[in-house]
Amino acid sequence: MIPDTPVLPDKDPAESVVVEFAFDGELVAIDSAVVAVTLVAGIDATPAALLVGLPQIQGTSVLQRISGGVADANYRLLCTATRGADVRVRAGVLPVRAA
C-alpha cells in the first residue's frame, strides 16, 4: 500500500459506488475537481475505466462514481480540487475484491 493513503472499503467488480472526497475546513467552496486512477497492485490494462462520468461537486465535497475494476487489484484514486488559487489533493486506495 501507499504510506499515509487511506484504504477505502473493498468494492466488488460488479458494484457501482460513489466515492466522496471531503475538503471540509480547507476550502470554503470548490470551483473545479479532477479525479484520476492509477493501478498500485494487480493487473488491469485500463484502470481509468473505473471512472464513470465526471466528478460532481457538492459544497466542499467531490463525488465520483466508480464501477467495475479487476478482482484482486488495488487502485489509487487521486482527487484534485481547486478554489481560485488554492489547490488541495485527496487520495485513497480502493481494493477490488470478488465477493
Side-chain angles (χ1 to χ4, degrees), residues 16 39 57 62 71 92 97:
S16 177
L39 184 69
I57 299 168
V62 175
R97 303 293 182 262

Side-chain angles (χ1 to χ4, degrees), residues 50-69:
L50 264 72
L51 301 177
V52 178
L54 297 173
Q56 301 298 308
I57 299 168
Q58 289 188 353
T60 57
S61 289
V62 175
L63 307 175
Q64 176 67 60
R65 179 158 300 279
I66 305 291
S67 184

Side-chain angles (χ1 to χ4, degrees), residues 5 12 14-15 17 26-27 29-30 41 46 48 51-54 73 80 88:
T5 301
D12 186 277
E15 292 179 318
V17 299
E26 296 178 80
L27 298 172
I30 298 172
T46 57
L51 301 177
V52 178
L54 297 173
T80 304
R88 302 299 297 174

Side-chain angles (χ1 to χ4, degrees), residues 63-84:
L63 307 175
Q64 176 67 60
R65 179 158 300 279
I66 305 291
S67 184
V70 176
D72 300 321
N74 291 344
Y75 300 87
R76 183 174 189 250
L77 306 176
L78 184 70
C79 178
T80 304
T82 304
R83 170 69 175 183

